[in-house]
Amino acid sequence: MNIQITSDSTCDLSPEQLRQYRIVLMPLAVAMDGRDYHDGVDIQPQDIYDHVAKGGGLPVTAAVNAAQYEAVFAQYARDYDAVIHVNISAEFSSCYQNACLAAQQFDNVYVVDSRNLSTGHGLVVLRAAELAEQGVPAAEIVETLREMTSRVEASFILDQLQYLKKGGRCSAVAVLGANLLKLKPCIEVRDGKMGVGKKYRGSFDHCLEAYITDQLSGREDLELSRIFITHSGVEEHTLQVALDTVRRLQPFAEICVTRAGCTISSHCGPGTIGVLFVRKNS
C-alpha cells in the first residue's frame, strides 16, 4: 500500500526525520502580541523566549481545526491508498477530536491518538512511518500503534518553573520553595495525562543525571532500537551529560536529539530536557 503519514507539529521530530519518512506536519496555532502564527513555520521557540524576556506574556496555543485537517486529508487521500494521522494526546488538545471529525469525510483516512506529547508522540509517528515503508496494510498499522501508545514512556525535568507560574500551572509560593531548595521536578506523562513525579535536588546537571538514571538504570524491559533526548533549549554541557548518561546505562541503537517546538516550549520555557522511549511488548 502507498500510505501517507501525517502528524501534529507537537511530535517534535527533527527536520531530517520528517524528510526521511516524508511525514507531513499540521502546525498548531500560536497567538502572540495579537498576531496568529504557525508552530515551527513562522514562529520558533526563541521568538517566544525573547518576547517573554522583554516582559511580554506567554503565547496562547490552539488546536488545528477540523477544516484545516479536512483540507490536508483531502489532498493526500486522493493520491494515496490511505492516510494515517497521529495526534497529540486528546487529554492535552482538541486536535484529536477535530481530526476525527475531518476523517469522517473519507474512507481511507485513519486517526490515532498518541496518548502523549513531544517525541513521546513522535515515537508513535516514526513507528507508523516505518511500518508504512514495509508495506504493512493501514488497518494493521493503526492497530499496532494503538497497542503501542501505552508502552511509550515520556518525562522531562525542569530547570526553572517561571513559565509554569506565568501560565497559572504553578503558584509563586511553589516556585519560591523550589528555588530556595534547588528542586528540579520531573514531569511524567501517564495514560495520556501529565503529572509531577520525583523532585530532584542540587545542580541541574546533577539532577539530570539522577533523573535519567532513575528512568533507565537496570531495566530489561526497554526496546533498545531508539531513544529521544528532547529539550527546550539547554547548554551544550548539559546536553552532553544527558548523552553520556544514556550511553552509560543502556545500549540504544539510535539516540535522537531533538529540540521541542513552540507548543511545548511555550508551556515549559527554556531549560527543560527529557528522555522518551518505548517499553517492550510483554
Side-chain angles (χ1 to χ4, degrees), residues 72-259:
V72 171
F73 292 164
Q75 178 183 352
Y76 293 101
R78 180 180 61 247
D79 298 329
Y80 288 81
D81 297 319
V83 177
I84 298 176
H85 184 81
V86 184
N87 282 112
I88 185 174
S89 173
E91 301 289 345
F92 301 138
S93 169
S94 59
C95 282
Y96 175 68
Q97 177 184 355
N98 294 344
C100 288
L101 286 173
Q104 292 176 4
Q105 309 303 316
F106 308 91
D107 294 329
N108 62 340
V109 175
Y110 302 80
V111 180
V112 176
D113 180 354
S114 73
R115 306 296 294 157
N116 224 297
L117 50 66
S118 190
T119 47
H121 169 191
L123 284 160
V124 182
V125 176
L126 288 185
R127 183 65 56 86
E130 290 168 343
L131 293 174
E133 279 194 347
Q134 295 167 19
V136 177
E140 186 176 333
I141 293 175
V142 170
E143 182 179 350
T144 299
L145 299 182
R146 287 175 175 161
E147 181 281 323
M148 172 191 177
T149 58
S150 63
R151 296 187 287 112
V152 177
E153 292 196 19
S155 59
F156 299 86
I157 187 169
L158 282 68
D159 187 29
Q160 52 99 351
L161 303 179
Q162 293 303 320
Y163 274 57
L164 293 182
K165 177 190 170 202
K166 287 177 179 291
R169 296 176 177 84
C170 184
S171 71
V173 172
V175 172
L176 177 61
N179 290 339
L180 289 174
L181 297 174
K182 295 185 178 180
L183 295 178
K184 313 297 182 186
C186 171
I187 305 296
E188 300 174 332
V189 180
R190 297 192 181 279
D191 194 28
K193 304 174 184 178
M194 275 194 299
V196 179
K198 185 174 179 179
K199 298 180 180 70
Y200 297 87
R201 187 173 184 180
S203 71
F204 189 53
D205 286 359
H206 170 77
C207 292
L208 175 60
E209 182 176 1
Y211 149 73
I212 295 175
T213 300
D214 283 346
Q215 297 297 316
L216 301 180
S217 181
R219 295 186 60 173
E220 299 180 355
D221 62 337
L222 306 181
E223 288 188 2
L224 295 176
S225 56
R226 177 183 291 126
I227 186 172
F228 275 93
I229 299 174
T230 299
H231 65 95
S232 65
V234 297
E235 298 291 339
E236 192 61 37
H237 65 83
T238 297
L239 186 56
Q240 193 61 52
V241 168
L243 284 164
D244 291 344
T245 306
V246 169
R247 288 170 178 149
R248 174 170 56 82
L249 293 172
Q250 292 287 353
F252 284 98
E254 182 181 16
I255 302 176
C256 307
V257 177
T258 66
R259 179 77 183 257

